[in-house]
Amino acid sequence: MKRDNINALSAPQPRGGYSQAVSIENFRRLLFVSGQVPMNSSDIVPDGIEAQARQVWLNVDAQLKAAGMSKADIVKVTTYLADRHHLAANREIRNDYLGALAPAMTVVVAGIFDSAWLLEVEVVAAQ
């Protein structure tokens, strides 16, 4: 698969951790991971944005592994936050998980299905 991160010079430049666009060619598979919520397999929701963000990324990682993929295959991330005050903590934990990867990314502040959840994350991955 050929993957190119694109950041047009005539558009705003990303401020770390993502690309304005990601082009993929010659891929075999696309995986669309539904919004992963901050709950473990025992239906426990941890307290606080940091713990919830870590749980969300554990859940994303589990879905990728179940499909025979890894975080290296992520090309798009959409994050829904319950409160804009969680932006910094979300960014820090997301960057810890993604490392040097720079997928296309969108963050939306929105009402979330369960009021106990502070965020939800969906991804698209390609191989």
Side-chain angles (χ1 to χ4, degrees):
M1 174 181 84
K2 182 177 183 246
R3 173 184 178 144
D4 291 316
N5 293 4
I6 300 166
N7 294 301
L9 294 177
S10 61
Q13 295 303 296
R15 295 182 184 172
Y18 72 98
S19 296
Q20 292 288 12
V22 175
S23 171
I24 55 173
E25 296 177 30
N26 304 319
F27 58 91
R28 296 174 300 145
R29 300 173 60 205
L30 281 177
L31 176 70
F32 297 86
V33 179
S34 293
Q36 297 299 292
V37 299
M39 184 182 336
N40 66 20
S41 60
S42 299
D43 293 341
I44 296 172
V45 177
D47 291 331
I49 184 63
E50 291 86 2
Q52 287 197 18
R54 285 186 190 88
Q55 184 62 57
V56 161
W57 286 107
L58 286 172
N59 295 345
V60 167
D61 204 55
Q63 298 302 335
L64 291 168
K65 287 179 181 173
M69 294 180 148
S70 73
K71 67 181 177 182
D73 298 313
I74 295 173
V75 296
K76 174 71 168 97
V77 174
T78 304
T79 301
Y80 302 93
L81 292 177
D83 189 314
R84 72 183 64 255
H85 294 101
H86 300 313
L87 285 168
N90 170 66
R91 181 182 307 116
E92 178 182 339
I93 289 154
R94 180 192 65 226
N95 289 347
D96 284 347
Y97 174 76
L98 292 175
L101 297 174
M105 192 170 307
T106 301
V107 177
V108 179
V109 177
I112 296 181
F113 180 77
D114 187 315
S115 62
W117 304 341
L118 301 177
L119 75 164
E120 186 171 338
V121 174
E122 63 184 28
V123 302
V124 177
Q127 284 184 325

